[in-house]
Structures are given as structure tokens and as C-alpha cells.
Amino acid sequence: MKTNNFLKAPLTINWAVTNRCNFNCQHCYSRTDPSEELDCGTLFDCIEKIVTAGVLSINFGGGEPLLRKDLTDIAAFASQKGLRVSMNSNGFLISRETALRLKTNGFSKVGISIDSHVPEVHDRFRGISGSHGKAVAALAHLRDAGIKTSISTVICKINHESIRELISFAERHSVHQLNFHNFKCSGLGYSNKDSLDLSPDEWKDFYLVAREAKQQNRGLEISLDDPIIASLGERTETDSLVKGSVCGKLSLNIKSNGDITPCGFIPIVIGNIVKDELKHVWDTSSVLDRMRNKKPTGKCSSCKSYEDCLGGCSARALALTGDFNNPDPHCWVHES
């Protein structure tokens, strides 16, 4: 290993506890994953292992995690072991009673996916009629139950010119945070990239407006998680801890069958939590080593922002060019 620029353990594990979903999203990365689910008892054993490794928080996802009837049992176990427990959900299954049960079983934060302030646009993108109304209702139920809420919005063709409207929408629904997620080209996101993804210049225009809105807003926390904004002089929320992509530096992903990957959008298996020790994988994986020690190629070799962005999103570079080290295809900076 050539690097020491990563923590002794991941701060967060993003755990896709199921690939089952009640939606048909056009950008889904997990719908084509045939992996089996671990049973509840095995999950308990695996949670013990990540606690032993020094992980601080666990975020459940999928698929739709609430399709697991034992999710609250799993969350309660994780919370009792000292982990901060959160979840990403489409919100469709969150009633008042469900929100109270989530609170009782240790959830401190729940992110709800809402991709447009316009109900019809969101419903069409997510493939389910009425999904927008259910998501909005879920935010109210969670807030009333005392759970901190956030909205996760995947930026793409349907919403990239609606930044101010999305911010106003988030403010009206009293969420703590609005996460603008950059479009990934994994799973169906790759299949539909030509109709959904933005051009590099469109990404630049989006981030210029989003940066200004973020600077002007003092109440709502607006998160921009894309390393390429370094070329605009903007910092990501994790910039003080690590540069570039956080995958393999602050977090890891675990699939429904226990396979460990650098993130949910990088389909390279580096271990399995059932049979491997997380700390050993974290310390010795050659894939993580390459991601932590990226080498500038192409236009990155002469870019003044490279030290901060480290080539941008590793998942996108891998998906679209086949190499972590290649420049992020979203980057708008031209060859110097």
C-alpha cells in the first residue's frame, strides 16, 4: 500500500439490504442485480463485524429497504450496538405508524427521493403514479415522529433547470437537507444516459446556479457531492476530510448478498462481509489502493484543480471509460 490518506475504518457503510423495489425508476442501478438477501441472523453477525472494525454509521438502502419486513429489527440491533442508523427510501410505504416505528427502532435520519417539485414529472421518472404525494406525506410523518429528514434529488434532464423551485419545495416541507446527486451511469442509468444525462457544459451551468443558490441560502443545508465542482472554486461537504471521490476513503458499499464494493455504482467486488473481516478488506484491497492513489491522465495531467477533484467521480470514469484514472466524463474543463 502506498497511501495513508484514508481513515482506519470507513465512517459509513451504505448497505443495500434488498434489491427488491416497488418502483420502476429510469436511472436505477440495482434493478438488474440478481443477488440474494442475507437473512436477519446473518445480518446481525455482519453488523457485529462492522462495529468491531470501527464503523460509526450505517445507511440502509436498496432497492426499497422497507420491503424487508425485518428492517426495524435490523435497525434496532445496529442502533443498540452504537451505530448511527439512517435510510434512503422512496417514501411510498411510510405511514404515520411506520414513521413512529422507525423512530422507536433507532432511525435518526431518513432521506426521501424526490426528483421534481412537479408531481407528474416525479411520478413519470419513478414509474409509479401517486409516488410524489406519498413521498411528501412521508416527510411529514417522519418529521412528526422526530426523525431528521432530507430530500435526495438525482440531477438529470428532467430537473437541472429547476434549482430554485427544488429549493423552495424543500423549504416548504421543512427538511434539514437537500442533496443534489450527480447522475451516475450504472445499471439503467447507463442504458438511459443518452436521454437523461447532461452534457459537460450543462453540468457546469447547473453547478454555477446551484453554487450561487447554496451561498445565498442560510437555512436549508444544500449538499453538492460532485468532486468536479473544485474547478469552480467550490468545496464538497467532505473536502476537509478527503479530496475527490469519497468511495473507499470515507465509505464502503455492501450488497444484499454481503458482497463489498467501493460504492453502489462500482460493481467491483472486493470482499464479502459474511466471510471476510472488513478491516482486512479496508486495509489491503488493491482496488481501494488504486482508487486512493489515482494517477492523472489526459487533461487531468495539466489541470490546476486536479489536487482537489482528483479526476472527479471514479464510478463515472470507470463506467464510461473503463479506467478510474481517466477524467470524469462530466468534466467541462478543456485541455490546456
Side-chain angles (χ1 to χ4, degrees):
M1 289 288 167
K2 302 181 287 300
T3 187
N4 61 0
N5 65 340
F6 62 99
L7 304 180
K8 292 182 178 179
L11 292 178
T12 300
I13 295 293
N14 295 304
W15 205 314
V17 289
T18 182
N19 291 320
R20 289 177 289 145
C21 192
N22 50 343
F23 277 27
N24 295 292
C25 303
Q26 296 177 36
H27 64 305
C28 180
Y29 71 92
S30 64
R31 180 51 62 90
T32 56
D33 189 336
S35 302
E36 297 293 326
E37 297 176 9
L38 300 178
D39 62 69
C40 193
T42 303
L43 276 168
F44 285 0
D45 293 340
C46 295
I47 288 171
E48 293 264 24
K49 294 173 79 170
I50 72 169
V51 170
T52 300
V55 174
L56 299 180
S57 63
I58 186 168
N59 182 69
F60 294 115
E64 170 51 49
L66 282 168
L67 286 175
R68 281 197 69 130
K69 303 303 183 185
D70 55 2
L71 179 66
T72 50
D73 296 330
I74 298 165
F77 183 84
S79 179
Q80 289 161 9
K81 292 296 177 180
L83 291 168
R84 290 195 298 271
V85 180
S86 60
M87 172 178 63
N88 294 331
S89 171
N90 58 40
F92 201 85
L93 300 175
I94 299 179
S95 63
R96 179 179 179 276
E97 293 72 21
T98 301
L100 291 170
R101 192 164 67 251
L102 294 175
K103 176 66 175 178
T104 301
N105 286 279
F107 280 95
S108 60
K109 184 177 181 180
V110 175
I112 300 297
S113 297
I114 299 178
D115 296 300
S116 177
H117 61 293
V118 181
E120 295 79 8
V121 174
H122 170 88
D123 289 2
R124 186 164 55 249
F125 185 62
R126 292 279 166 175
I128 296 293
S129 178
S131 60
H132 189 273
K134 288 277 195 176
V136 169
L139 290 173
H141 295 319
L142 292 164
R143 184 178 65 248
D144 292 346
I147 297 176
K148 186 181 290 187
T149 58
S150 63
I151 290 176
S152 293
T153 300
V154 176
I155 298 303
C156 58
K157 289 285 190 184
I158 70 166
N159 55 23
H160 70 106
E161 295 181 326
S162 303
I163 301 167
R164 303 286 182 183
E165 293 88 346
L166 287 164
I167 291 172
S168 295
F169 176 85
E171 289 174 332
R172 287 198 306 275
H173 294 286
S174 304
V175 301
H176 172 73
Q177 187 177 38
L178 173 59
N179 299 300
F180 286 138
H181 294 300
N182 57 83
F183 186 84
K184 303 294 196 302
C185 298
S186 299
L188 293 180
Y190 182 85
S191 302
N192 295 322
K193 63 182 173 60
D194 292 341
S195 60
L196 290 175
D197 200 3
L198 309 183
S199 70
D201 285 340
E202 286 174 322
W203 279 112
K204 181 179 181 180
D205 291 342
F206 166 78
Y207 281 123
L208 284 171
V209 177
R211 179 184 64 171
E212 182 182 8
K214 180 178 178 178
Q215 292 170 345
Q216 293 174 350
N217 193 287
R218 291 295 177 264
L220 175 68
E221 183 179 332
I222 300 172
S223 174
L224 306 173
D225 63 359
D226 198 333
I228 61 174
I229 60 178
S231 65
L232 300 177
E234 182 68 27
R235 296 163 63 93
T236 63
E237 284 64 30
T238 58
D239 202 39
S240 60
L241 294 173
V242 295
K243 304 294 185 182
S245 292
V246 302
C247 306
K249 302 173 190 174
L250 297 183
S251 62
L252 285 178
N253 178 74
I254 299 180
K255 297 170 62 177
S256 61
N257 66 352
D259 282 345
I260 304 168
T261 65
C263 85
F265 302 103
I266 296 179
I268 300 177
V269 176
I270 59 175
N272 186 286
I273 192 61
V274 178
K275 61 183 181 180
D276 298 320
E277 294 301 322
L278 185 69
K279 188 72 168 63
H280 180 74
V281 174
W282 182 253
D283 289 342
T284 65
S285 167
S286 60
V287 174
L288 296 183
D289 184 49
R290 292 200 303 274
M291 293 179 67
R292 294 163 181 162
N293 294 281
K294 290 171 67 173
K295 311 246 180 239
T297 65
K299 64 182 181 181
C300 290
S301 301
S302 58
C303 181
K304 296 177 181 177
S305 300
Y306 185 79
E307 285 189 11
D308 291 313
C309 92
L310 298 181
C313 175
S314 298
R316 267 197 311 266
L318 180 67
L320 296 180
T321 75
D323 190 337
F324 291 130
N325 294 311
N326 286 336
D328 185 337
H330 280 185
C331 179
W332 51 79
V333 177
H334 298 293
E335 299 274 2
S336 60

